[in-house]
Amino acid sequence: MELIGGDVILFACILIGSIGLTMLALPILETNLSDSLAFFTLGGIGFFIGMIVIFVIRHPSAYARSFIKFVPYFIFLFHFPASLVLLWISSIRHDGVPEFALDYTFVYWMFLLVFVVTIKSMDHVHQRQFEKVQD
């Protein structure tokens, strides 16, 4: 499997976007709000890089399309359980689940949902473009 340079850039940016989601979960472990805001900002920047790349790409290759189809499953199989583990660790550290961690986890899951819905909708758009070219 040989990757074209544009595909490598696409893969890297989408991974930065999904890793940005992981960085958004790190403040659950923090006790200081200023550290939490720093992690949240870093995760938000990574997330938006991934979203911009998804919207900018016009004609993905077959490799890129297969990767885009895999990303939602990767998010649900990795990020979603990881956020539950982070919530559990937070509850152990604070002798119960702090309200901030619950609110933050809800926001994190909303980011996950937006990322997955965006990737799925862009995949459908690219599929229709590919079918038009084939006709």
Side-chain angles (χ1 to χ4, degrees), residues 61-108:
S61 69
Y63 296 125
R65 288 205 61 242
S66 64
F67 183 74
I68 289 172
K69 285 184 177 191
F70 173 72
V71 168
Y73 301 108
F74 172 72
I75 287 174
F76 282 126
L77 291 174
F78 176 72
H79 293 301
F80 191 74
S83 69
L84 291 176
V85 169
L86 291 173
L87 185 62
W88 176 68
I89 291 171
S90 175
S91 69
I92 290 173
R93 279 188 155 184
H94 300 289
D95 294 329
V97 180
E99 186 177 330
F100 170 74
L102 285 177
D103 294 342
Y104 188 82
T105 303
F106 177 74
V107 170
Y108 176 68

Short mmCIF file of all heavy atoms in Angstrom, two decimals, residues 61-108:
data_model
loop_
_atom_site.label_atom_id
_atom_site.label_comp_id
_atom_site.label_asym_id
_atom_site.label_seq_id
_atom_site.Cartn_x
_atom_site.Cartn_y
_atom_site.Cartn_z
N SER A 61 -8.60 10.29 -2.15
CA SER A 61 -8.27 9.05 -2.84
C SER A 61 -8.99 7.88 -2.16
O SER A 61 -9.65 8.05 -1.13
CB SER A 61 -6.76 8.83 -2.81
OG SER A 61 -6.36 8.54 -1.48
N ALA A 62 -8.84 6.70 -2.73
CA ALA A 62 -9.46 5.51 -2.15
C ALA A 62 -8.90 5.24 -0.76
O ALA A 62 -9.64 4.84 0.16
CB ALA A 62 -9.25 4.31 -3.06
N TYR A 63 -7.60 5.45 -0.57
CA TYR A 63 -7.00 5.24 0.75
C TYR A 63 -7.57 6.22 1.77
O TYR A 63 -7.88 5.84 2.90
CB TYR A 63 -5.48 5.43 0.70
CG TYR A 63 -4.77 4.41 -0.17
CD1 TYR A 63 -3.95 4.82 -1.20
CD2 TYR A 63 -4.93 3.06 0.06
CE1 TYR A 63 -3.29 3.90 -1.99
CE2 TYR A 63 -4.29 2.13 -0.72
CZ TYR A 63 -3.46 2.55 -1.75
OH TYR A 63 -2.82 1.64 -2.52
N ALA A 64 -7.70 7.47 1.36
CA ALA A 64 -8.24 8.48 2.26
C ALA A 64 -9.68 8.18 2.62
O ALA A 64 -10.09 8.32 3.77
CB ALA A 64 -8.12 9.86 1.63
N ARG A 65 -10.47 7.76 1.65
CA ARG A 65 -11.88 7.44 1.93
C ARG A 65 -12.00 6.27 2.89
O ARG A 65 -12.84 6.28 3.78
CB ARG A 65 -12.63 7.14 0.63
CG ARG A 65 -12.85 8.39 -0.18
CD ARG A 65 -14.02 8.32 -1.12
NE ARG A 65 -15.25 8.13 -0.38
CZ ARG A 65 -16.03 7.05 -0.52
NH1 ARG A 65 -15.71 6.10 -1.35
NH2 ARG A 65 -17.13 6.94 0.17
N SER A 66 -11.16 5.27 2.73
CA SER A 66 -11.24 4.12 3.65
C SER A 66 -10.83 4.55 5.06
O SER A 66 -11.41 4.08 6.05
CB SER A 66 -10.37 2.97 3.15
OG SER A 66 -9.01 3.34 3.13
N PHE A 67 -9.86 5.45 5.16
CA PHE A 67 -9.45 5.95 6.47
C PHE A 67 -10.57 6.78 7.10
O PHE A 67 -10.86 6.64 8.29
CB PHE A 67 -8.18 6.78 6.34
CG PHE A 67 -7.66 7.27 7.66
CD1 PHE A 67 -7.04 6.41 8.54
CD2 PHE A 67 -7.80 8.60 8.02
CE1 PHE A 67 -6.56 6.85 9.76
CE2 PHE A 67 -7.33 9.05 9.23
CZ PHE A 67 -6.71 8.18 10.10
N ILE A 68 -11.21 7.62 6.29
CA ILE A 68 -12.30 8.46 6.80
C ILE A 68 -13.45 7.58 7.29
O ILE A 68 -14.09 7.88 8.29
CB ILE A 68 -12.76 9.46 5.72
CG1 ILE A 68 -11.69 10.54 5.52
CG2 ILE A 68 -14.09 10.11 6.08
CD1 ILE A 68 -11.95 11.46 4.34
N LYS A 69 -13.70 6.47 6.62
CA LYS A 69 -14.75 5.55 7.06
C LYS A 69 -14.39 4.88 8.39
O LYS A 69 -15.27 4.53 9.17
CB LYS A 69 -15.02 4.49 6.01
CG LYS A 69 -15.78 5.00 4.83
CD LYS A 69 -16.10 3.88 3.87
CE LYS A 69 -16.94 4.42 2.75
NZ LYS A 69 -17.51 3.37 1.93
N PHE A 70 -13.10 4.68 8.64
CA PHE A 70 -12.66 4.00 9.85
C PHE A 70 -12.64 4.91 11.08
O PHE A 70 -12.83 4.43 12.20
CB PHE A 70 -11.27 3.40 9.62
CG PHE A 70 -10.65 2.82 10.86
CD1 PHE A 70 -11.13 1.65 11.40
CD2 PHE A 70 -9.60 3.46 11.50
CE1 PHE A 70 -10.58 1.11 12.55
CE2 PHE A 70 -9.03 2.94 12.64
CZ PHE A 70 -9.52 1.75 13.16
N VAL A 71 -12.45 6.20 10.90
CA VAL A 71 -12.28 7.13 12.02
C VAL A 71 -13.45 7.10 13.01
O VAL A 71 -13.21 7.06 14.22
CB VAL A 71 -11.99 8.56 11.51
CG1 VAL A 71 -12.11 9.58 12.62
CG2 VAL A 71 -10.61 8.63 10.90
N PRO A 72 -14.72 7.11 12.58
CA PRO A 72 -15.79 7.07 13.59
C PRO A 72 -15.72 5.83 14.47
O PRO A 72 -15.97 5.90 15.68
CB PRO A 72 -17.07 7.07 12.75
CG PRO A 72 -16.68 7.72 11.47
CD PRO A 72 -15.26 7.31 11.24
N TYR A 73 -15.38 4.68 13.91
CA TYR A 73 -15.26 3.47 14.72
C TYR A 73 -14.09 3.57 15.67
O TYR A 73 -14.17 3.13 16.81
CB TYR A 73 -15.12 2.24 13.81
CG TYR A 73 -16.28 2.09 12.87
CD1 TYR A 73 -16.15 2.35 11.51
CD2 TYR A 73 -17.53 1.70 13.35
CE1 TYR A 73 -17.22 2.22 10.66
CE2 TYR A 73 -18.61 1.58 12.50
CZ TYR A 73 -18.45 1.84 11.15
OH TYR A 73 -19.52 1.73 10.32
N PHE A 74 -13.00 4.18 15.21
CA PHE A 74 -11.84 4.40 16.06
C PHE A 74 -12.22 5.26 17.25
O PHE A 74 -11.83 4.99 18.40
CB PHE A 74 -10.72 5.05 15.25
CG PHE A 74 -9.54 5.50 16.06
CD1 PHE A 74 -8.66 4.57 16.60
CD2 PHE A 74 -9.31 6.85 16.29
CE1 PHE A 74 -7.57 4.98 17.35
CE2 PHE A 74 -8.22 7.26 17.03
CZ PHE A 74 -7.35 6.33 17.56
N ILE A 75 -12.99 6.31 17.00
CA ILE A 75 -13.40 7.21 18.07
C ILE A 75 -14.27 6.48 19.09
O ILE A 75 -14.06 6.58 20.30
CB ILE A 75 -14.13 8.44 17.50
CG1 ILE A 75 -13.12 9.35 16.81
CG2 ILE A 75 -14.88 9.20 18.59
CD1 ILE A 75 -13.72 10.50 16.09
N PHE A 76 -15.24 5.70 18.62
CA PHE A 76 -16.12 5.01 19.55
C PHE A 76 -15.43 3.86 20.26
O PHE A 76 -15.77 3.54 21.39
CB PHE A 76 -17.38 4.52 18.85
CG PHE A 76 -18.38 5.61 18.62
CD1 PHE A 76 -18.88 5.86 17.36
CD2 PHE A 76 -18.82 6.41 19.66
CE1 PHE A 76 -19.80 6.88 17.15
CE2 PHE A 76 -19.72 7.43 19.46
CZ PHE A 76 -20.22 7.66 18.20
N LEU A 77 -14.46 3.24 19.62
CA LEU A 77 -13.77 2.13 20.27
C LEU A 77 -12.64 2.57 21.18
O LEU A 77 -12.25 1.83 22.09
CB LEU A 77 -13.21 1.17 19.21
CG LEU A 77 -14.26 0.39 18.42
CD1 LEU A 77 -13.59 -0.40 17.31
CD2 LEU A 77 -15.06 -0.52 19.32
N PHE A 78 -12.11 3.77 20.96
CA PHE A 78 -10.97 4.23 21.77
C PHE A 78 -11.33 5.41 22.66
O PHE A 78 -11.18 5.36 23.88
CB PHE A 78 -9.79 4.59 20.85
CG PHE A 78 -8.62 5.15 21.60
CD1 PHE A 78 -7.85 4.34 22.40
CD2 PHE A 78 -8.32 6.50 21.54
CE1 PHE A 78 -6.77 4.85 23.12
CE2 PHE A 78 -7.25 7.02 22.24
CZ PHE A 78 -6.48 6.19 23.03
N HIS A 79 -11.80 6.51 22.07
CA HIS A 79 -12.01 7.74 22.84
C HIS A 79 -13.16 7.62 23.83
O HIS A 79 -13.06 8.12 24.94
CB HIS A 79 -12.26 8.92 21.89
CG HIS A 79 -11.08 9.29 21.07
ND1 HIS A 79 -9.88 9.65 21.62
CD2 HIS A 79 -10.90 9.32 19.73
CE1 HIS A 79 -9.02 9.91 20.67
NE2 HIS A 79 -9.61 9.72 19.51
N PHE A 80 -14.24 7.01 23.43
CA PHE A 80 -15.39 6.91 24.32
C PHE A 80 -15.07 6.10 25.58
O PHE A 80 -15.28 6.59 26.70
CB PHE A 80 -16.58 6.32 23.56
CG PHE A 80 -17.87 6.41 24.30
CD1 PHE A 80 -18.54 7.62 24.42
CD2 PHE A 80 -18.42 5.29 24.89
CE1 PHE A 80 -19.74 7.70 25.12
CE2 PHE A 80 -19.62 5.37 25.58
CZ PHE A 80 -20.28 6.57 25.69
N PRO A 81 -14.49 4.88 25.47
CA PRO A 81 -14.10 4.17 26.69
C PRO A 81 -13.01 4.90 27.48
O PRO A 81 -13.02 4.86 28.72
CB PRO A 81 -13.58 2.82 26.18
CG PRO A 81 -14.15 2.66 24.83
CD PRO A 81 -14.33 4.05 24.28
N ALA A 82 -12.10 5.56 26.76
CA ALA A 82 -11.05 6.30 27.47
C ALA A 82 -11.64 7.41 28.32
O ALA A 82 -11.19 7.66 29.44
CB ALA A 82 -10.05 6.87 26.47
N SER A 83 -12.67 8.08 27.81
CA SER A 83 -13.30 9.15 28.61
C SER A 83 -13.99 8.57 29.84
O SER A 83 -14.00 9.20 30.90
CB SER A 83 -14.27 9.96 27.75
OG SER A 83 -15.40 9.19 27.41
N LEU A 84 -14.56 7.39 29.72
CA LEU A 84 -15.18 6.76 30.89
C LEU A 84 -14.13 6.39 31.93
O LEU A 84 -14.34 6.57 33.13
CB LEU A 84 -15.97 5.51 30.47
CG LEU A 84 -17.22 5.77 29.65
CD1 LEU A 84 -17.85 4.45 29.23
CD2 LEU A 84 -18.22 6.62 30.43
N VAL A 85 -12.98 5.90 31.47
CA VAL A 85 -11.89 5.58 32.40
C VAL A 85 -11.39 6.85 33.08
O VAL A 85 -11.14 6.86 34.30
CB VAL A 85 -10.75 4.85 31.66
CG1 VAL A 85 -9.50 4.75 32.52
CG2 VAL A 85 -11.20 3.47 31.23
N LEU A 86 -11.24 7.94 32.32
CA LEU A 86 -10.79 9.20 32.92
C LEU A 86 -11.81 9.71 33.94
O LEU A 86 -11.42 10.25 34.98
CB LEU A 86 -10.55 10.24 31.83
CG LEU A 86 -9.36 9.97 30.92
CD1 LEU A 86 -9.33 10.98 29.78
CD2 LEU A 86 -8.07 10.02 31.70
N LEU A 87 -13.09 9.53 33.66
CA LEU A 87 -14.12 9.94 34.62
C LEU A 87 -14.01 9.10 35.89
O LEU A 87 -14.13 9.62 37.00
CB LEU A 87 -15.50 9.81 33.99
CG LEU A 87 -16.68 10.30 34.82
CD1 LEU A 87 -16.55 11.79 35.09
CD2 LEU A 87 -17.98 10.00 34.12
N TRP A 88 -13.76 7.81 35.74
CA TRP A 88 -13.60 6.93 36.89
C TRP A 88 -12.37 7.33 37.71
O TRP A 88 -12.42 7.39 38.94
CB TRP A 88 -13.49 5.49 36.40
CG TRP A 88 -13.23 4.50 37.48
CD1 TRP A 88 -14.07 4.12 38.49
CD2 TRP A 88 -12.02 3.77 37.67
NE1 TRP A 88 -13.45 3.19 39.29
CE2 TRP A 88 -12.20 2.96 38.81
CE3 TRP A 88 -10.82 3.71 36.98
CZ2 TRP A 88 -11.21 2.11 39.27
CZ3 TRP A 88 -9.82 2.85 37.44
CH2 TRP A 88 -10.03 2.07 38.57
N ILE A 89 -11.25 7.61 37.04
CA ILE A 89 -10.04 8.05 37.75
C ILE A 89 -10.30 9.35 38.49
O ILE A 89 -9.86 9.53 39.63
CB ILE A 89 -8.86 8.20 36.76
CG1 ILE A 89 -8.44 6.83 36.24
CG2 ILE A 89 -7.68 8.92 37.41
CD1 ILE A 89 -7.44 6.89 35.10
N SER A 90 -11.04 10.25 37.86
CA SER A 90 -11.37 11.51 38.52
C SER A 90 -12.20 11.27 39.77
O SER A 90 -11.99 11.92 40.80
CB SER A 90 -12.13 12.40 37.53
OG SER A 90 -12.56 13.57 38.16
N SER A 91 -13.13 10.32 39.70
CA SER A 91 -13.96 10.04 40.88
C SER A 91 -13.13 9.45 42.01
O SER A 91 -13.38 9.72 43.18
CB SER A 91 -15.11 9.11 40.51
OG SER A 91 -14.63 7.82 40.21
N ILE A 92 -12.12 8.66 41.68
CA ILE A 92 -11.25 8.09 42.71
C ILE A 92 -10.39 9.18 43.35
O ILE A 92 -10.23 9.23 44.57
CB ILE A 92 -10.35 6.99 42.11
CG1 ILE A 92 -11.21 5.78 41.76
CG2 ILE A 92 -9.24 6.59 43.06
CD1 ILE A 92 -10.46 4.70 41.00
N ARG A 93 -9.87 10.07 42.53
CA ARG A 93 -9.00 11.15 43.05
C ARG A 93 -9.75 12.12 43.95
O ARG A 93 -9.18 12.69 44.87
CB ARG A 93 -8.39 11.94 41.90
CG ARG A 93 -7.20 11.30 41.29
CD ARG A 93 -6.59 12.26 40.33
NE ARG A 93 -5.19 11.95 40.17
CZ ARG A 93 -4.35 12.67 39.45
NH1 ARG A 93 -4.78 13.74 38.84
NH2 ARG A 93 -3.11 12.33 39.34
N HIS A 94 -11.03 12.33 43.66
CA HIS A 94 -11.78 13.36 44.39
C HIS A 94 -12.79 12.77 45.37
O HIS A 94 -13.65 13.50 45.86
CB HIS A 94 -12.51 14.27 43.39
CG HIS A 94 -11.59 14.97 42.45
ND1 HIS A 94 -10.76 16.00 42.83
CD2 HIS A 94 -11.34 14.79 41.13
CE1 HIS A 94 -10.06 16.43 41.82
NE2 HIS A 94 -10.38 15.70 40.76
N ASP A 95 -12.72 11.48 45.64
CA ASP A 95 -13.67 10.81 46.55
C ASP A 95 -15.11 11.06 46.09
O ASP A 95 -15.95 11.52 46.87
CB ASP A 95 -13.47 11.27 48.00
CG ASP A 95 -12.13 10.83 48.54
OD1 ASP A 95 -11.65 9.75 48.11
OD2 ASP A 95 -11.56 11.55 49.37
N GLY A 96 -15.38 10.78 44.88
CA GLY A 96 -16.69 11.01 44.28
C GLY A 96 -16.52 11.78 42.98
O GLY A 96 -15.48 12.39 42.75
N VAL A 97 -17.53 11.76 42.16
CA VAL A 97 -17.44 12.44 40.87
C VAL A 97 -17.74 13.92 41.06
O VAL A 97 -18.84 14.28 41.48
CB VAL A 97 -18.43 11.83 39.86
CG1 VAL A 97 -18.34 12.54 38.53
CG2 VAL A 97 -18.17 10.34 39.68
N PRO A 98 -16.77 14.80 40.79
CA PRO A 98 -17.05 16.24 40.91
C PRO A 98 -17.98 16.69 39.79
O PRO A 98 -18.02 16.11 38.71
CB PRO A 98 -15.67 16.88 40.76
CG PRO A 98 -14.80 15.86 40.16
CD PRO A 98 -15.39 14.52 40.42
N GLU A 99 -18.73 17.72 40.08
CA GLU A 99 -19.69 18.24 39.10
C GLU A 99 -18.97 18.70 37.82
O GLU A 99 -19.47 18.51 36.72
CB GLU A 99 -20.47 19.41 39.71
CG GLU A 99 -21.57 19.92 38.81
CD GLU A 99 -22.37 21.02 39.47
OE1 GLU A 99 -22.50 21.02 40.70
OE2 GLU A 99 -22.88 21.88 38.73
N PHE A 100 -17.79 19.29 37.99
CA PHE A 100 -17.01 19.74 36.84
C PHE A 100 -16.72 18.57 35.90
O PHE A 100 -16.82 18.69 34.69
CB PHE A 100 -15.70 20.39 37.29
CG PHE A 100 -14.74 20.65 36.17
CD1 PHE A 100 -14.97 21.69 35.27
CD2 PHE A 100 -13.63 19.86 35.98
CE1 PHE A 100 -14.09 21.93 34.23
CE2 PHE A 100 -12.74 20.09 34.95
CZ PHE A 100 -12.98 21.13 34.07
N ALA A 101 -16.35 17.40 36.46
CA ALA A 101 -16.01 16.24 35.64
C ALA A 101 -17.23 15.75 34.86
O ALA A 101 -17.12 15.38 33.70
CB ALA A 101 -15.44 15.12 36.49
N LEU A 102 -18.40 15.75 35.49
CA LEU A 102 -19.62 15.33 34.78
C LEU A 102 -19.95 16.29 33.64
O LEU A 102 -20.24 15.86 32.51
CB LEU A 102 -20.80 15.25 35.75
CG LEU A 102 -20.81 14.05 36.67
CD1 LEU A 102 -21.99 14.15 37.64
CD2 LEU A 102 -20.88 12.77 35.88
N ASP A 103 -19.91 17.59 33.92
CA ASP A 103 -20.18 18.58 32.88
C ASP A 103 -19.16 18.47 31.76
O ASP A 103 -19.50 18.52 30.58
CB ASP A 103 -20.16 19.99 33.46
CG ASP A 103 -21.29 20.22 34.45
OD1 ASP A 103 -22.26 19.44 34.43
OD2 ASP A 103 -21.18 21.18 35.23
N TYR A 104 -17.92 18.33 32.14
CA TYR A 104 -16.85 18.27 31.16
C TYR A 104 -16.97 17.02 30.28
O TYR A 104 -16.78 17.07 29.07
CB TYR A 104 -15.50 18.28 31.87
CG TYR A 104 -14.37 18.41 30.90
CD1 TYR A 104 -14.00 19.63 30.40
CD2 TYR A 104 -13.69 17.27 30.46
CE1 TYR A 104 -12.98 19.75 29.49
CE2 TYR A 104 -12.67 17.39 29.56
CZ TYR A 104 -12.32 18.62 29.07
OH TYR A 104 -11.33 18.72 28.17
N THR A 105 -17.30 15.88 30.89
CA THR A 105 -17.47 14.64 30.13
C THR A 105 -18.61 14.78 29.16
O THR A 105 -18.52 14.32 28.01
CB THR A 105 -17.69 13.46 31.08
OG1 THR A 105 -16.60 13.38 32.00
CG2 THR A 105 -17.81 12.16 30.33
N PHE A 106 -19.69 15.43 29.56
CA PHE A 106 -20.82 15.65 28.65
C PHE A 106 -20.38 16.49 27.45
O PHE A 106 -20.69 16.16 26.31
CB PHE A 106 -21.97 16.34 29.39
CG PHE A 106 -23.13 16.66 28.50
CD1 PHE A 106 -23.98 15.67 28.06
CD2 PHE A 106 -23.34 17.97 28.10
CE1 PHE A 106 -25.04 15.98 27.22
CE2 PHE A 106 -24.40 18.29 27.27
CZ PHE A 106 -25.26 17.28 26.83
N VAL A 107 -19.63 17.56 27.70
CA VAL A 107 -19.13 18.40 26.61
C VAL A 107 -18.19 17.60 25.71
O VAL A 107 -18.26 17.68 24.48
CB VAL A 107 -18.42 19.66 27.17
CG1 VAL A 107 -17.68 20.41 26.08
CG2 VAL A 107 -19.42 20.57 27.86
N TYR A 108 -17.33 16.79 26.30
CA TYR A 108 -16.40 15.96 25.52
C TYR A 108 -17.17 15.00 24.62
O TYR A 108 -16.84 14.84 23.44
CB TYR A 108 -15.50 15.20 26.49
CG TYR A 108 -14.56 14.23 25.84
CD1 TYR A 108 -13.50 14.68 25.06
CD2 TYR A 108 -14.72 12.86 26.01
CE1 TYR A 108 -12.63 13.80 24.47
CE2 TYR A 108 -13.84 11.98 25.42
CZ TYR A 108 -12.81 12.44 24.65
OH TYR A 108 -11.95 11.56 24.06
#
